[in-house]
């Protein structure tokens, strides 16, 4: 393989030759300094997080339609001390009531197949999970009423719920004591 010195020669009057092709130095400088001027990730969900010249670093969440999960919450643990309406974008996050001085209610978002959330009781206060209207949360053979709740105040209790249909959430795993209503 030829080195850069082997292929580039500089001649008089600003003329440069690369592999025998002669161009003015200004032409070469314009070509090598151009770089990326714009970038679009389209509907992928990705956007440049650094300047759009030179090496471009992408940031964002890869949309499911483009092979991603559309999820930003993997491994994120979020403590709440007051009631919270869980967002679809929170999927795969774990929530707890760490620091709460009273009951904390987590209201699940509209039922969308695949949404998944974890809930951990870290304070001896009621942690309440409310199903969206018309939906039921199943805990083994037990189930909430439509739009009902499932509750625990036992420290160390954990519930992982996943939406299985437009009207059903299921506890994929549970530890401790949970009471559906």
């Amino acid at each position: 393989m030829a080195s850069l010195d082997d292929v580039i020669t500089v001649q008089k009057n600003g003329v440069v030759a690369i592999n025998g092709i002669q161009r003015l130095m200004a032409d070469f400088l314009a070509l090598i300094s151009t770089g990326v001027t714009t970038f679009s990730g389209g509907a992928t969900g990705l956007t440049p997080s650094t300047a759009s010249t030179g090496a471009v670093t992408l940031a964002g969440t890869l949309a499911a339609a483009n092979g991603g999960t559309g999820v930003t919450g993997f491994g994120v643990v979020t403590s709440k001390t007051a009631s919270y309406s869980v967002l679809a974008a929170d999927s795969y996050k774990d929530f707890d009531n760490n620091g709460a001085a009273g009951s904390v209610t987590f209201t699940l978002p509209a039922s969308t197949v695949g949404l998944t959330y974890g809930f951990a009781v870290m304070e001896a206060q009621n942690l309440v999970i409310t199903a969206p209207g018309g939906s039921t949360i199943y805990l083994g053979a037990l189930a909430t009423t439509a739009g009902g709740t499932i509750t625990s105040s036992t420290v160390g209790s954990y519930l992982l719920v996943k939406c299985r249909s437009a009207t059903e959430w299921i506890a994929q795993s549970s530890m401790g004591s949970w009471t559906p209503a």
Side-chain angles (χ1 to χ4, degrees), residues 8 16 20 27 31 33 43 61 66 73-74 81 83 90 99-100 105 110 124 128 134 140 143 147 149 163 174 179:
I8 297 179
V16 176
D27 291 342
L31 288 172
S33 66
T61 304
N66 296 99
F74 287 111
T81 58
S83 295
D90 291 329
T105 299
V128 181
T149 63
C163 184
S174 67
T179 305

Side-chain angles (χ1 to χ4, degrees), residues 3-101:
S3 72
L4 193 55
D5 290 335
D6 295 334
V7 296
I8 297 179
T9 58
V10 179
Q11 300 173 355
K12 294 181 184 181
N13 301 323
V15 174
V16 176
I18 297 181
N19 282 344
I21 301 172
Q22 293 186 348
R23 301 280 306 252
L24 291 174
M25 178 63 94
D27 291 342
F28 280 114
L29 291 176
L31 288 172
I32 62 174
S33 66
T34 303
V36 176
T37 57
T38 62
F39 178 86
S40 171
T44 65
L46 300 177
T47 58
S49 68
T50 61
S52 304
T53 60
V56 177
T57 302
L58 298 179
T61 304
L62 185 58
N66 296 99
T69 62
V71 173
T72 60
F74 287 111
V76 175
V77 176
T78 303
S79 297
K80 296 291 184 183
T81 58
S83 295
Y84 178 70
S85 292
V86 180
L87 305 173
D90 291 329
S91 191
Y92 289 98
K93 285 185 180 179
D94 273 359
F95 293 96
D96 64 42
N97 66 344
N98 196 22

Side-chain angles (χ1 to χ4, degrees), residues 94-119:
D94 273 359
F95 293 96
D96 64 42
N97 66 344
N98 196 22
S103 182
V104 177
T105 299
F106 293 92
T107 304
L108 295 173
S111 297
T112 303
V113 174
L115 293 180
T116 304
Y117 307 96
F119 299 94

Side-chain angles (χ1 to χ4, degrees), residues 151-173:
T151 305
S152 179
S153 62
T154 305
V155 173
S157 291
Y158 181 83
L159 190 67
L160 180 68
V161 297
K162 182 173 188 167
C163 184
R164 304 287 298 174
S165 75
T167 60
E168 298 172 319
W169 293 73
I170 189 167
Q172 286 192 306
S173 68

